[in-house]
Each structure stands twice: as C-alpha cells, then as structure tokens.
Amino acid sequence: MSTAKHDPPRQTVDLLDPPFWDAYDPNFPDSDGRPMADNQTQYKWMVTIAEGLDDLFRDRPDVLVACDLLWYFDRSDARRCIAPDVFVAFGRPKAPRHSYKEWLEGHAPQVVFEIHSPSNREGVMRRKLRTYDERGVEEYYYYFPEGESGRFDGWLRGPGGLEPIATTDGWTSPRLGVTFETPPEDDALVLRRPDGEAFQHVQDIMKDRRAMRRLARIERRRRKEADRRAEVLERRADDADRRAREERDRALDADLRARDADRRAREERERAEAERERAERLAAMLRAMGHEPD
C-alpha cells in the first residue's frame, strides 16, 4: 500500500519577526498542564525520535519536527486539541511556535509518533487513532518500548483512512524515508535513516563522542610516540651514515697511506738499484785503470 506525497506549497516566511501563525493567543495556551512524559523510557524515545528526525531534515526549512507540542484543530473550541509525542509537518517552517493551530498552519501534520505510557490505556489509544484518522494524518506509529516485547504498530492512510501496516519490521516510511526494525533478539526499536545510520539517544551520542575523543587522544599519543620513534630511528640512521662516511674516510686514508708507502718503497728500491749500478760502473772503471776496487 502506498500514499502519494502531495506536499503543500512551500511558503516564504520571515523568521525575523513573529509570523502570523506564531502569534500568542491566550485562548489557546501553550500547555495542557500535563507532563511531557510519564516516565524516563517514554521521554528517552520521544527525544530520540524527535532529535533524529530534526537532524534528518536539518537542511529542509519547510519541515517542522515537534515534540509534545499542542496541536489545536478547532478554532472555536480550545478543548479540541492533542499533544502527540512527536509529529512531522511537511510544508511548514521549522521555526519555534507556541502551538500548532491547524487553521493557521493550513493542514494537519502528516506523520505522528506516540510512545506507550501507563496513561495510554486502550480507550485512549483508540481515541488518538480516531483523531489522527479524522484529521488526515498520513502515517501514524505507536511504539511499546517495554512490557510488550518492544511491539511497534503502524498505520498508513489508504482509501478507507488509516489502515494497519501488516508488517512493521523492515517497514520504510513513505514520507520520512526512515526504516523501522524490530529485531527479535532485542526489544529496542531501531530507526534507520536513508543512509542506513541508526537514530541514537543524545546520551548515546555523547557517550560515543566521549569514546571518540578518548580514541582521538590515544591516536594523538600514538602519533607522537611514532614520531618520536621515527626521530630516534632517523638519528640512528644519521649516526650510522656518519659512521659509515667516517669509516669510508678512514679506509680511503689507509689506502692513500698504503699507496704512499708503496711509492716510497718503490722509489727506495729504484735509488738502491741506481746506487748499485753506479757502484758497479765505478768498479769497472777502476779495474780498467788497473786498480782493484775494495
């Protein structure tokens, strides 16, 4: 089953001055006097989904993601309102507002999330489903984070209104592009962005950031130690090269000295030979003159 995506035309809104849809009206208060969440589990999932969606559409100024924002749908009766845990309104500016007044915004939010809490009994759940169906919500998701084996239910608008999604495990929202996973080995719902990255609670994100900072510090220390070892090795290589040059210089000097010694010895032999030949010539001359050399 599919739903055509007909976004309302995008409107140009001056965010510097309070726009008409954000004007405060005491007849439609910002709060219904009820707590944002009944327990920490519900609060955690509300924040995880809202912040994940807000980041997903951070580059879309015409997509409003709201968490526990009062949604009024009858301008003549302020009692006719509801505060979804999370809703997404396409075609509406993401600027903060006091409440979501449907007659000023132009249409109902297209996607709504509710997280189960003790106050959401079966009758309350049926009324919420009926209200969202009557207001024209396109996708409605209800998550039971505890006590229900992590059950995740969904409804998609069809010809007859909001109709149950047969299988939500692996379901991808037509509007959001988010895929929902309910692994049997884990009670926790997994929401994945179109790029496959899973939504995270802010505490998990901060824990990951701390871990990344620790890893970065370790990596910096490793780089410094590697640089230090490289410097030591470079110095050792320089020393070895210097010693090799000195050894080559010594070997060259020894070779030069050996050659000089050979030259001197050769010259000495030549002088001795010349002296012997001169002595022999002198002796021959003396004999020729009748003198016997000593």
Side-chain angles (χ1 to χ4, degrees):
M1 184 181 302
S2 61
T3 299
K5 300 181 180 179
H6 297 296
D7 289 342
R10 300 185 184 182
Q11 301 181 17
T12 302
V13 178
D14 185 358
L15 301 181
L16 299 179
D17 298 319
F20 70 91
W21 41 260
D22 194 36
Y24 179 71
D25 187 345
N27 295 318
F28 296 92
D30 296 3
S31 172
D32 57 5
R34 298 175 183 176
M36 178 178 177
D38 289 344
N39 53 57
Q40 285 296 101
T41 300
Q42 183 187 18
Y43 172 78
K44 174 183 176 179
W45 279 103
M46 290 169 64
V47 173
T48 299
I49 294 174
E51 292 297 327
L53 291 172
D54 205 32
D55 181 68
L56 177 62
F57 294 106
R58 64 185 180 277
D59 297 327
R60 289 281 303 272
D62 65 325
V63 178
L64 169 67
V65 178
C67 183
D68 195 45
L69 183 68
L70 270 178
W71 165 15
Y72 291 100
F73 45 84
D74 189 339
R75 67 188 309 168
S76 64
D77 189 352
R79 294 171 299 179
R80 301 195 66 197
C81 64
I82 193 168
D85 288 339
V86 179
F87 72 71
V88 184
F90 289 82
R92 299 307 304 145
K94 60 170 76 266
R97 64 233 313 124
H98 293 280
S99 60
Y100 191 93
K101 302 178 183 67
E102 188 176 327
W103 59 93
L104 295 179
E105 303 283 359
H107 59 84
Q110 289 91 347
V111 184
V112 171
F113 290 85
E114 292 283 1
I115 311 301
H116 183 73
S117 66
S119 62
N120 283 355
R121 302 187 183 279
E122 186 175 354
V124 175
M125 294 164 55
R126 284 199 300 268
R127 286 195 297 273
K128 286 186 175 183
L129 176 58
R130 185 168 56 251
T131 297
Y132 296 142
D133 193 10
E134 292 172 350
R135 302 318 308 165
V137 169
E138 296 177 10
E139 301 177 37
Y140 172 41
Y141 300 103
Y142 200 105
Y143 179 45
F144 299 77
E146 57 184 15
E148 296 288 345
S149 300
R151 199 176 89 219
F152 178 65
D153 296 332
W155 291 262
L156 180 68
R157 180 160 297 279
L162 285 175
E163 300 174 355
I165 298 171
T167 303
T168 55
D169 185 20
W171 168 262
T172 299
S173 161
R175 271 287 185 178
L176 307 175
V178 173
T179 300
F180 306 96
E181 298 175 2
T182 54
E185 69 278 2
D186 190 352
D187 289 346
L189 173 68
V190 178
L191 294 86
R192 294 195 183 278
R193 300 159 53 102
D195 61 6
E197 183 179 352
F199 283 22
Q200 286 183 288
H201 183 55
V202 63
Q203 293 179 358
D204 296 328
I205 294 174
M206 297 307 296
K207 181 172 65 176
D208 288 347
R209 287 181 178 176
R210 288 193 294 272
M212 290 176 65
R213 285 196 292 268
R214 286 197 299 271
L215 290 175
R217 288 196 295 269
I218 293 172
E219 184 60 27
R220 285 195 296 270
R221 287 198 296 269
R222 287 176 177 173
R223 284 200 299 269
K224 288 181 179 179
E225 180 62 21
D227 291 342
R228 186 190 65 79
R229 289 196 298 268
E231 289 176 359
V232 171
L233 292 174
E234 186 176 0
R235 286 197 298 271
R236 289 177 179 175
D238 291 342
D239 290 344
D241 186 61
R242 177 182 54 77
R243 288 193 296 271
R245 286 197 304 271
E246 292 175 350
E247 188 65 28
R248 286 194 300 271
D249 291 342
R250 285 194 294 269
L252 180 61
D253 289 342
D255 184 63
L256 292 174
R257 286 194 297 272
R259 291 182 181 183
D260 188 58
D262 289 342
R263 179 183 57 77
R264 287 195 299 271
R266 187 172 59 256
E267 290 175 349
E268 188 64 28
R269 286 194 301 272
E270 290 174 350
R271 280 195 299 272
E273 182 66 21
E275 188 65 27
R276 184 185 62 80
E277 290 178 353
R278 189 168 55 252
E280 289 179 352
R281 286 194 301 273
L282 180 58
M285 292 175 61
L286 289 174
R287 289 190 192 97
M289 293 173 63
H291 298 286
E292 189 63 30
D294 293 336

